[in-house]
Structures are given as structure tokens and as C-alpha cells.
Amino acid sequence: PWMKDNGKYCTHPYFTNNFCNKNQFWSHQKFCRHSCYDAGYGYAGDVCCDQPSSEPSSMPSSTDCTICDDERTPWMKDNGKYCTHPYFTNNFCNKNQFWSHQKFCRHSCYDAGYGYAGDVCCDQPSSEPSSMPSSTDCTICDDERTPWMKDNG
């Protein structure tokens, strides 16, 4: 109860920023594997699949978010360009009136931090090609807490 009441979960930034692959004990046991990977502190050799966390978070629940698509501009479709390319997310999205009006690449723009006004997109895997590993190239990573976290939770 104390840990839960005080927000002590694998997703808590204190743990991801200070332990994960920075701590030999954590690295050996691969504690909080998925949260560490998501925070950019994954363990050597890990490529974790995208999966929702079972822990509380400040992120919107599926009932508070919208399923956003990645509809490309006609030019992008004609030229084999995809929404996940940083050139488009960094230079267009909510920075371009035409894109904003049409909400092109809505999910990728939201994920990149350039979402459209009022959008809260649900977390979902992209269906377009990317350089990210496919689900067959990744590992389902758990968020196994440390013994201390369990004993004090």
C-alpha cells in the first residue's frame, strides 16, 4: 500500500532515471524491464515490444483518448513517404496550416510532440513501414519490480 499510495511503480521517473541500466543489480535482474526500455535506459540487447503498462499512469486511458490515424498527404502517397519520418513530423504537423486543417499524419504528429489542437491520441502501433523492429523482432518485456518495491508495496 505505501508504494502504491506514493506512486512507487516501475514507471516512476525516479526509478527509470536513476536505476535501470545504470545499476548493476538492476541490470543483472532486469527489473522494470519494459519501463526502463521505454524511458531509454533499456538493458543490453533488449528490444521490447510496444505494450500497454498495467500500472497507473498520468497518461489518458483508452476512454479519454481518440484512435488517431496516420493519413498521408496525396504527395506522400504518390512518393512512397510515410508519416513516421522525422522530416514530416518536425517540419509540418501543427506547424503547417494545411496539415493542421486536414490533420495529416495525426498519430505520428501526436507521438512526436506536434499533435493537433485538442488531440489526445491513444497509444497504438503504427501500421506503416518503419525502421523499428516488428513484433516478431522484439521481446515482450515485463515490469518485474525489485524485492524492495514488492515488500514495501
Side-chain angles (χ1 to χ4, degrees):
W2 180 88
M3 286 197 61
K4 288 181 182 176
D5 292 345
N6 290 284
K8 304 299 184 213
Y9 294 94
C10 289
T11 54
H12 193 282
Y14 174 77
F15 296 112
T16 56
N17 295 340
N18 295 296
F19 293 92
C20 295
N21 64 11
K22 298 175 182 179
N23 179 286
Q24 188 175 10
F25 178 67
W26 275 50
S27 292
H28 180 71
Q29 300 292 326
K30 292 191 175 186
F31 289 120
C32 299
R33 191 173 181 187
H34 195 265
S35 292
C36 289
Y37 181 82
D38 279 350
Y41 302 112
Y43 301 111
D46 273 359
V47 178
C48 294
C49 300
D50 240 359
Q51 63 187 30
S53 171
S54 60
E55 295 186 359
S57 87
S58 59
M59 296 300 290
S61 70
S62 59
T63 57
D64 298 335
C65 60
T66 302
I67 303 285
C68 297
D69 63 18
D70 257 352
E71 183 64 29
R72 298 178 287 164
T73 67
W75 180 88
M76 290 171 75
K77 289 177 187 175
D78 291 344
N79 291 280
K81 305 297 181 188
Y82 293 93
C83 295
T84 53
H85 193 284
Y87 174 78
F88 298 109
T89 56
N90 294 340
N91 293 295
F92 294 92
C93 295
N94 62 13
K95 299 175 182 181
N96 179 288
Q97 188 174 6
F98 177 66
W99 275 50
S100 292
H101 182 71
Q102 299 294 325
K103 292 193 173 187
F104 289 116
C105 301
R106 191 174 180 187
H107 194 267
S108 291
C109 290
Y110 181 82
D111 279 352
Y114 302 110
Y116 300 111
D119 273 359
V120 177
C121 295
C122 300
D123 196 22
Q124 64 190 34
S126 173
S127 60
E128 63 181 52
S130 78
S131 59
M132 295 300 291
S134 72
S135 59
T136 57
D137 298 334
C138 61
T139 302
I140 302 294
C141 298
D142 62 20
D143 258 348
E144 181 68 25
R145 297 184 298 163
T146 67
W148 179 88
M149 293 169 96
K150 290 177 186 175
D151 292 345
N152 291 284

